[in-house]
């Protein structure tokens, strides 16, 4: 099969490229990525050495580029990871989130309609469901939970999901959607909580925890997300939405303290900073549907995964130091100074 992976130079997309090359060497993978600040071609170095992998630099919202690529490649499956993905950046400047996350999705689906695909798969997020209260640990997001977004990021992802379902019903496009909880693991961009805290703790820099650090996220090791998407695109039903998560809920403070413990660093590095506007309290996925229908189960517990992740950042310093030395410095200054 010929599979288009958009956003494959980013965190989850790159992990998915490697997952597919390893588990389905008979398939061909084409990666379309705009290489924004979050995309890193170095991440794909090993993939670029393989004959069944092609990289194309381009924007998913650029119709000419997308249509030309679909005409050339005659894709069987499209997996759309490409997105602006950071909530804090969406608070700073929502416009690009609407363009990439909504118009980009429309452009890919228009090309999929014109040239025909077996499946268009949208990689979505649990953030489309909004948040859950801290005092109701019995509540979880199911696929029936109403969409109720908080940030420009989640609103743009929810808009894209609605469009995907509309294309399925109106045009009969064979689609699927997965909504996953927070991922962590190798190649995670150091603006996100876990890699930010690892890289700063290693440099003995302050660790900016928003508000009281009580917010809860449901962490999934990235390879488990990849195995779930792989199952859905090959065995999932057309027109279905699948939630992905592994019941690994932790408060932000628990996550940061775990990282400090693994690194042997002092908790005095923790600094409480002004909260994120509209900050979602708790995310928690009910993964019963994907388990019952497709037999998916995560393999990595949080305690194992966080150790592996810290070790990966220790072993791959040049990868993240390169990023920290670039334009990222301006971002950190803008986002955190005087907070
Ligand atoms: P990321 O920010 O690390 O990577 C995004 C990639 O998309 C980058 O390589 C970037 O260059 C590329 N890109 C951005 N705009 C583009 C455009 N217009 N055209 C082509 N390429 C473009 O993101 P991530 O964390 O890997 O997330 C991937 C997907 O998974 C996103 O759709 C996100 O909403 C979803 N998701 C992420 C998480 C998480 O915890 N990170 C959880 C659930 C769902
Ligand atoms: P993040 O990694 O940005 O993912 P998301 O907002 O999509 O869940 O943040 C995870 C949690 O960590 C979220 O509750 C915000 C919090 N956070 C901090 O406390 N400090 C930080 O510097 C960052 C980036 C996030």
């Amino acid at each position: 099969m010929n599979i288009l992976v958009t956003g494959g130079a980013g965190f989850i997309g790159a992990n998915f490229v490697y997952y597919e090359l390893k588990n389905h060497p008979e398939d061909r993978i084409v990666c379309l990525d705009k290489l924004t600040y979050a995309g890193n071609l170095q991440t794909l170095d090993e993939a670029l050495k393989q004959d069944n992998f092609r990289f194309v630099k381009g924007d998913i919202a650029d119709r000419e580029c997308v249509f030309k690529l679909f005409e050339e490649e005659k894709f069987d499956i499209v997996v759309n990871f490409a997105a602006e993905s950071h909530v804090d950046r969406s608070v700073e400047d929502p416009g690009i989130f609407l363009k990439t996350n909504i118009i980009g999705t429309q452009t890919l689906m228009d090309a999929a309609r014109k040239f025909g695909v077996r499946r268009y798969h949208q990689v979505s997020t649990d953030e489309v469901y909004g948040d859950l209260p801290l005092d109701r640990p019995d509540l979880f997001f199911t696929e029936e939970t109403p969409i109720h977004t908080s940030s420009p990021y989640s609103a743009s992802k929810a808009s894209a999901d609605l469009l995907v379902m509309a294309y399925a019903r109106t045009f009969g496009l064979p689609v699927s959607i997965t909504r996953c909880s927070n991922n962590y693991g190798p190649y995670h961009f150091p603006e996100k909580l876990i890699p930010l805290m690892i890289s700063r703790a290693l440099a003995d820099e302050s660790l900016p925890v928003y508000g009281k650090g009580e917010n809860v996220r449901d962490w999934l090791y990235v390879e488990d997300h990849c195995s779930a998407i792989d199952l859905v695109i090959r065995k999932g039903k057309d027109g279905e939405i699948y939630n992905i998560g592994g019941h690994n809920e932790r408060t932000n403070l628990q996550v940061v303290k775990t990282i400090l413990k693994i690194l042997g660093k002092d908790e005095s590095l923790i600094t409480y900073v002004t909260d994120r506007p509209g900050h979602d309290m708790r995310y928690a996925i009910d993964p019963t549907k994907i388990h019952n229908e497709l037999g998916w189960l995560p393999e990595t517990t949080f305690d194992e995964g966080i150790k592996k992740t810290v070790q990966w950042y220790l072993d791959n310093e040049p990868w993240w130091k390169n990023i920290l030395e670039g334009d990222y410095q301006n971002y950190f200054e803008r986002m955190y100074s005087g907070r």
Side-chain angles (χ1 to χ4, degrees):
M1 280 199 301
N2 198 10
I3 305 177
L4 173 64
V5 176
T6 69
F11 164 45
I12 309 174
N15 278 283
F16 185 73
V17 165
Y18 285 118
Y19 186 92
E20 292 298 296
L21 289 174
K22 181 171 162 213
N23 292 286
H24 301 283
E26 70 286 4
D27 290 337
R28 180 178 138 82
I29 307 289
V30 177
C31 168
L32 173 66
D33 197 298
K34 189 179 170 186
L35 296 180
T36 66
Y37 79 93
N40 188 344
L41 200 49
Q42 264 180 10
T43 303
L44 293 173
D45 270 351
E46 287 306 309
L48 285 161
K49 292 178 188 156
Q50 302 206 22
D51 291 340
N52 57 341
F53 178 77
R54 175 184 174 198
F55 179 81
V56 177
K57 183 172 187 293
D59 186 336
I60 58 164
D62 175 345
R63 285 186 95 76
E64 208 182 307
C65 155
V66 168
F67 276 58
K68 188 168 158 270
L69 186 64
F70 272 70
E71 187 170 20
E72 242 170 68
E73 290 281 353
K74 309 268 180 303
F75 295 115
D76 297 293
I77 295 181
V78 176
V79 188
N80 182 26
F81 289 93
E84 288 293 333
S85 69
H86 192 35
V87 173
D88 293 325
R89 286 186 191 254
S90 82
V91 175
E92 208 189 18
D93 181 12
I96 187 68
F97 284 73
L98 273 55
K99 182 164 184 230
T100 290
N101 300 1
I102 306 172
I103 304 297
T105 299
Q106 179 217 352
T107 309
L108 290 170
M109 290 196 298
D110 283 344
R113 279 181 65 206
K114 175 155 186 199
F115 297 101
V117 292
R118 275 202 232 171
R119 173 68 63 78
Y120 172 87
H121 182 76
Q122 180 74 0
V123 180
S124 187
T125 164
D126 60 358
E127 301 193 26
V128 301
Y129 299 123
D131 62 351
L132 297 165
L134 288 184
D135 60 358
R136 290 291 308 272
D138 55 315
L139 295 181
F140 296 90
F141 298 135
T142 72
E143 291 78 1
E144 274 71 50
T145 302
I147 289 200
H148 186 89
T149 56
S150 312
S151 70
Y153 163 69
S154 55
S156 69
K157 292 295 290 183
S159 306
D161 284 11
L162 293 174
L163 258 186
V164 171
M165 297 314 283
Y167 269 56
R169 175 151 175 176
T170 305
F171 304 119
L173 189 70
V175 303
S176 48
I177 297 178
T178 43
R179 293 179 176 153
C180 189
S181 59
N182 284 63
N183 284 214
Y184 67 104
Y187 304 118
H188 204 179
F189 195 84
E191 68 186 354
K192 303 283 171 68
L193 179 77
I194 288 180
L196 179 94
M197 297 301 169
I198 297 173
S199 59
R200 290 185 67 82
L202 282 171
D204 291 313
E205 288 169 338
S206 64
L207 308 184
V209 170
Y210 298 167
K212 294 185 189 149
E214 287 172 339
N215 306 63
V216 170
R217 296 293 182 265
D218 183 359
W219 294 97
L220 188 72
Y221 193 62
V222 62
E223 202 172 311
D224 285 325
H225 187 186
C226 295
S227 70
I229 294 174
D230 182 64
L231 262 182
V232 170
I233 60 175
R234 290 163 198 276
K235 301 204 172 110
K237 287 192 216 130
D238 283 344
E240 291 293 319
I241 297 170
Y242 297 91
N243 282 355
I244 308 173
H247 290 299
N248 284 299
E249 286 180 54
R250 297 285 187 285
T251 66
N252 293 338
L253 209 48
Q254 283 173 324
V255 170
V256 175
K257 286 185 177 174
T258 305
I259 292 169
L260 286 170
K261 199 165 169 207
I262 297 171
L263 289 172
K265 299 279 182 177
D266 203 83
E267 289 186 8
S268 60
L269 288 175
I270 295 172
T271 318
Y272 295 92
V273 302
T274 310
D275 211 349
R276 169 188 282 171
H279 198 171
D280 280 336
M281 264 343 278
R282 170 176 169 248
Y283 301 143
I285 282 275
D286 175 354
T288 307
K289 178 175 172 179
I290 190 167
H291 174 63
N292 287 350
E293 286 189 16
L294 303 177
W296 177 82
L297 274 178
E299 283 186 0
T300 305
T301 63
F302 185 75
D303 292 338
E304 288 161 0
I306 193 71
K307 282 191 201 126
K308 280 207 270 189
T309 302
V310 169
Q311 193 57 49
W312 188 88
Y313 280 83
L314 287 169
D315 295 341
N316 292 274
E317 254 190 38
W319 182 87
W320 54 269
K321 284 216 160 146
N322 250 343
I323 294 169
L324 298 189
E325 278 156 16
D327 183 51
Y328 179 79
Q329 280 180 351
N330 298 329
Y331 164 81
F332 195 84
E333 193 49 32
R334 265 197 340 268
M335 196 58 80
Y336 292 89
S337 71
R339 191 162 179 169

